[in-house]
Amino acid sequence: QKEVEQNSGPLSVPEGAIASLNCTYSDRGSQSFFWYRQYSGKSPELIMSIYSNGDKEDGRFTAQLNKASQYVSLLIRDSQPSDSATYLCAVKNTGNQFYFGTGTSLTVIP
Amino acid sequence: SAVISQKPSRDICQRGTSLTIQCQVDSQVTMMFWYRQQPGQSLTLIATANQGSEATYESGFVIDKFPISRPNLTFSTLTVSNMSPEDSSIYLCSVAGTGGSGNTIYFGEGSWLTVV
């Protein structure tokens, strides 16, 4: 199920910096895109969804979508140690199924 | 979002046995899915659980190995049959949100299976 690709990392950033996470997808007809956060030993939890080209901001999180390039990203501003987790990109395809990327492991260093 | 309860939350299973995982949702949902997450890996969709009909399996997953039931809009089961150590994994039930949030999915807490 290689429909969604992410850099596996690990990605390390200092506290207060911006963390940038990237994702590409293969189904050009996909219309819905999501970022989930998964702490070790826990199930994934939804952070953000984005459906239109451009940026969508929610607090310290900004999702960016470029359907022409089939590219989704997540920016985390003012990163905190509590942001240390694995971030999963998910895409809802034209068949209404949700596929996940391999996840990017983020560590925020105090 | 719906509250999703899975049982068992954790189990150690003997090779060659089968285990059934239950997923109960506190409201009626149209779409239910079963995912597997092997150690250190991302989520892999096993199948879509269809109410009143056979589940729709993804490539690489078959009904004989992972039989699924969905008798109503709030409940589903996944059985992992004839288990081997390679089946050691987290199994996650998920549901599509309802109403305005129908465009995303939410997860239960997962069932952590270790096969010895």
Side-chain angles (χ1 to χ4, degrees):
Chain A
Q1 296 178 356
K2 293 292 187 183
E3 301 196 14
V4 183
E5 302 265 3
Q6 292 180 253
N7 291 329
S8 61
L11 175 65
S12 294
V13 300
E15 184 174 354
I18 296 175
S20 177
L21 307 166
N22 303 315
C23 172
T24 58
Y25 60 95
S26 61
D27 184 349
R28 186 171 286 278
S30 298
Q31 296 295 319
S32 306
F33 309 88
F34 311 90
W35 284 99
Y36 285 79
R37 177 175 61 199
Q38 186 176 25
Y39 291 112
S40 180
K42 300 292 186 181
S43 59
E45 57 180 339
L46 180 68
I47 300 175
M48 288 192 69
S49 58
I50 186 167
Y51 311 118
S52 304
N53 280 327
D55 295 359
K56 179 182 178 182
E57 186 174 316
D58 183 359
R60 296 186 295 110
F61 298 96
T62 299
Q64 299 173 317
L65 173 62
N66 183 325
K67 291 184 181 179
S69 300
Q70 297 175 244
Y71 176 89
V72 192
S73 67
L74 179 70
L75 300 178
I76 307 174
R77 292 183 301 281
D78 187 23
S79 296
Q80 302 297 308
S82 60
D83 295 326
S84 298
T86 297
Y87 289 80
L88 300 166
C89 173
V91 176
K92 182 181 178 182
N93 72 356
T94 49
N96 289 323
Q97 289 135 336
F98 293 78
Y99 292 102
F100 286 78
T102 52
T104 299
S105 175
L106 172 66
T107 300
V108 180
I109 304 168
Chain B
S1 62
V3 176
I4 306 166
S5 302
Q6 275 186 244
K7 289 192 299 186
S9 58
R10 192 176 294 269
D11 208 341
I12 299 174
C13 307
Q14 295 295 317
R15 184 194 301 252
T17 62
S18 300
L19 182 80
T20 296
I21 302 167
Q22 298 180 2
C23 178
Q24 179 73 54
V25 189
D26 69 343
S27 59
Q28 293 187 339
V29 292
T30 304
M31 305 288 286
M32 292 181 75
F33 308 92
W34 286 98
Y35 285 84
R36 180 175 74 181
Q37 188 173 31
Q38 294 177 304
Q41 304 296 314
S42 186
L43 286 77
T44 301
L45 179 62
I46 298 173
T48 302
N50 300 310
Q51 194 266 327
S53 64
E54 191 171 289
T56 304
Y57 289 85
E58 295 295 301
S59 175
F61 297 95
V62 297
I63 189 171
D64 289 346
K65 176 67 175 177
F66 298 100
I68 290 171
S69 76
R70 177 102 190 263
N72 56 51
L73 293 177
T74 64
F75 186 78
S76 179
T77 66
L78 168 73
T79 299
V80 186
S81 302
N82 188 25
M83 285 187 283
S84 67
E86 293 71 35
D87 295 319
S88 297
S89 186
I90 307 167
Y91 292 86
L92 291 153
C93 172
S94 68
V95 303
T98 57
S101 62
N103 207 20
T104 191
I105 59 172
Y106 302 93
F107 291 90
E109 290 300 311
S111 297
W112 301 61
L113 302 187
T114 301
V115 184
V116 297

